[in-house]
Structure formats: C-alpha cells, structure tokens
Amino acid sequence: MRVWAIANQKGGVGKTTTTLALGRGLAARGSRVLLVDLDPHSSMTRTFGVPVEPAPEGVMELFATPPRELASLVRTSAVERMDYVCAQTALATLERRSANQPGLGLALSQALSRHAGQHDYVLLDCPPTLGLLMINALAAADRVIIPTQAEPLALHGLAGMVRTAEMVERSRRRPMPVSVLPTLYDRRTRAGQDALKRMQEEHGDRVWDDAIPVDTRLCNTELLVQPAGAEGAYPGRALSAYRRALDWILASEAQSLEQAA
Ligand SMILES: Nc1ncnc2c1ncn2[C@@H]1O[C@H](COP(=O)(O)OP(=O)(O)OP(=O)(O)O)[C@@H](O)[C@H]1O
Ligand SMILES: [Mg+2]
C-alpha cells in the first residue's frame, strides 16, 4: 500500500481536484484506491454528495479513544475501485485538543498501518494549514504531491511546503519524495509562463515538466466522482493532463522503490 499526501499550505491551488483526478486515474488502471478527506471544510466529502450536517462518520473517529478502525469508516463511491473516508467540520477542533494529548500526530499512520493490504493506494487530501492534520498526513505519507498554482505568488507557498517535506524526511528514516504539479495554468498569460519557468528552475526535476491547464469543465469537481462511462462525455484537457501527470508520478514511484530495494 502506498500513501500519497496531496498538500500545499496555500488554499485554492487544486489539492482536492488533484486528489480526485489522480484517484480516479489509479482506479481506472485497476488499483484499489482510498481517498481520505482531511480538510475540516470537507470539500471532497461534499463532492461525493455526503451532507456535512449532521456530521457523517469519518476521520474524527480515528482520533477517538480508543480509535475506530479505518475499514469501518470506508464508503464506496460510484467509481469502481475508488473508496473514500469523509471529513467532519469538527476536525477543526482537533488542533486545540492536540496540546493536551501527545501522540495524536501519529493517529493516521497507525490507522493506516492496521489497514495495510486493503487498498493499493491511499490519497490524503490535506487542509491548507500546517496543523495537526497535515502533520498526520506527512507522518503517514510515502510521497508528497504538491499542486501549485502556476502564478508568481504561489512560489513562496511552494518553497515553504518543500521545506516542510524535507524536515519530515530528516526526522524519520524513510525518504519523502516530492512531486510538484503545476496547476491552473493559463498558457496565454506571461505571469503563468514565468511562474512555471521559475518553479522548474528553483525545484528542478521534482517539478513536472508539463502543467494542468485551466479547464472550465473542472470547475465542477462532481464530474470526477461519476462512474467511468460518464467521463466519455467529458474528455477535457485538464483530465488528460492529469493522466499524463499520473504517468510521471508512477514512473517516479518506480524509481524510488528501486532505489529503496
Ligand atoms: N484545472 C482546473 N481548471 C479549472 N478549475 C479548476 C481546476 N482545478 C481546480 N479548479 C477549481 O478551482 C477551485 C479550487 O480547487 P480545489 O478545491 O481543488 O483547491 P484546493 O487546493 O483543494 O482548495 P482548498 O485549499 O480550499 O481546499 C475549485 O472550484 C475547483 O473546481
Ligand atoms: Mg481542498
């Protein structure tokens, strides 16, 4: 089982969209995929059509004493082989509780280690803040995927996120490969082109040499949770770019696994 954290401390850069698109892509290639919504705003949970009031069962239960088993929180989606776990708005209160309860930073890793073998890939949709939930995600992750909006202001956020991933890598024995995915790219603008170039200059081959374009069809992420047949009506530039991005990430996974062997 491989765990990917989809993270960026900046909001609105395409984290949730990337989680859904890569998850769908992996499921289409035959893998069993679990998407976990770690964001108290619950965008992904809502995309799956789950009401947030009253709160569904979900990630919060992993932090209970004793914690619930992850398998009991897994829901099946309309996309074959793609399952998910809901977020709850109450996750926002976890950050306050954490001060009194040491060890909460590993709750997700522990839940996932007991879940090994039930899914091939687990994708963690992180909130845009470096708090307890993101720390849980990074502690559990085998790889960090950083969607980064191709615009100049996003470069600071990217540098911060890369430093955080490097810190996590230093504090544990396992490597933490980083894959930067330029998103929301508008190739007609100079600012977009410059940002893409700088990303590649500053972060080298950790950055995908292509980009996910702005595509109005992706303003509605519900498309990504429709059964496979429905996608045919929506070939979409961004979706085909996400397929290429997945090829790149999987090639990099193969390389990291080879190095580790
Ligand atoms: N390639 C794209 N083309 C057009 N719209 C997009 C694209 N990717 C994402 N969007 C839209 O941009 C908005 C932000 O995307 P998304 O919710 O995935 O970002 P996020 O990083 O998860 O945000 P948050 O930090 O709030 O969780 C959404 O409305 C989404 O539908
Ligand atoms: Mg999101």
Side-chain angles (χ1 to χ4, degrees):
M1 191 171 82
R2 297 288 293 170
V3 181
W4 296 351
I6 321 299
N8 192 323
Q9 284 148 257
K10 195 166 182 303
V13 296
K15 294 181 292 295
T16 301
T17 308
T18 298
T19 307
L20 289 164
L22 295 180
R24 189 185 176 88
L26 287 165
R29 292 165 192 224
S31 295
R32 295 164 304 162
V33 182
L34 180 63
L35 309 183
V36 182
D37 188 354
L38 291 177
D39 189 348
H41 288 120
S42 311
S43 312
M44 191 168 82
T45 298
R46 291 176 219 258
T47 302
F48 279 109
V50 179
V52 296
E53 279 298 332
E57 288 196 318
V59 169
M60 195 74 185
E61 275 64 53
L62 302 177
F63 293 86
T65 332
R68 282 269 299 275
E69 287 305 308
L70 188 61
S72 71
L73 305 170
V74 169
R75 296 175 181 231
T76 316
S77 82
V79 179
E80 205 179 341
R81 291 182 292 277
M82 187 166 93
D83 300 330
Y84 65 101
V85 177
C86 294
Q88 297 111 319
T89 48
L91 284 174
T93 64
L94 266 184
E95 311 286 357
R96 258 172 280 144
R97 278 180 42 201
S98 64
N100 317 324
Q101 296 186 23
L104 277 189
L106 292 176
L108 183 61
S109 309
Q110 288 160 355
L112 285 169
S113 61
R114 293 191 299 268
H115 189 76
Q118 301 186 44
H119 286 89
D120 302 308
Y121 288 91
V122 179
L123 273 53
L124 307 171
D125 182 17
C126 293
T129 40
L130 181 55
L132 181 71
L133 290 156
M134 171 115 63
I135 288 177
N136 264 274
L138 295 176
D142 300 307
R143 169 176 299 272
V144 191
I145 295 170
I146 312 179
T148 307
Q149 188 165 358
E151 54 120 36
L153 282 177
L155 292 164
H156 299 291
L158 171 59
M161 197 60 233
V162 169
R163 272 197 303 275
T164 306
E166 286 170 350
M167 243 160 56
V168 173
E169 185 171 53
R170 278 197 298 274
S171 70
R172 67 182 202 185
R173 290 184 185 175
R174 280 184 305 140
M176 175 73 102
V178 169
S179 310
V180 180
L181 278 197
T183 56
L184 291 156
Y185 177 55
D186 184 349
R187 64 188 160 86
R188 294 166 307 178
T189 67
R190 187 64 198 265
Q193 291 168 11
D194 287 350
L196 197 58
K197 201 162 146 246
R198 274 187 55 199
M199 256 186 237
Q200 285 157 355
E201 282 165 5
E202 290 171 20
H203 300 282
D205 59 9
R206 286 171 159 179
V207 183
W208 187 35
D209 63 358
D210 197 343
I212 308 292
V214 172
D215 180 346
T216 49
R217 280 164 292 198
L218 265 201
C219 294
N220 176 12
T221 43
E222 278 154 32
L223 149 76
L224 298 170
V225 299
Q226 302 303 315
E231 198 186 20
Y234 267 108
R237 287 183 305 137
L239 275 190
S240 45
Y242 270 117
R243 279 192 276 273
R244 295 196 304 279
L246 181 56
D247 288 336
W248 173 68
I249 295 168
L250 288 173
S252 166
E253 276 286 280
Q255 233 174 28
S256 322
L257 290 174
E258 229 170 73
Q259 277 162 8

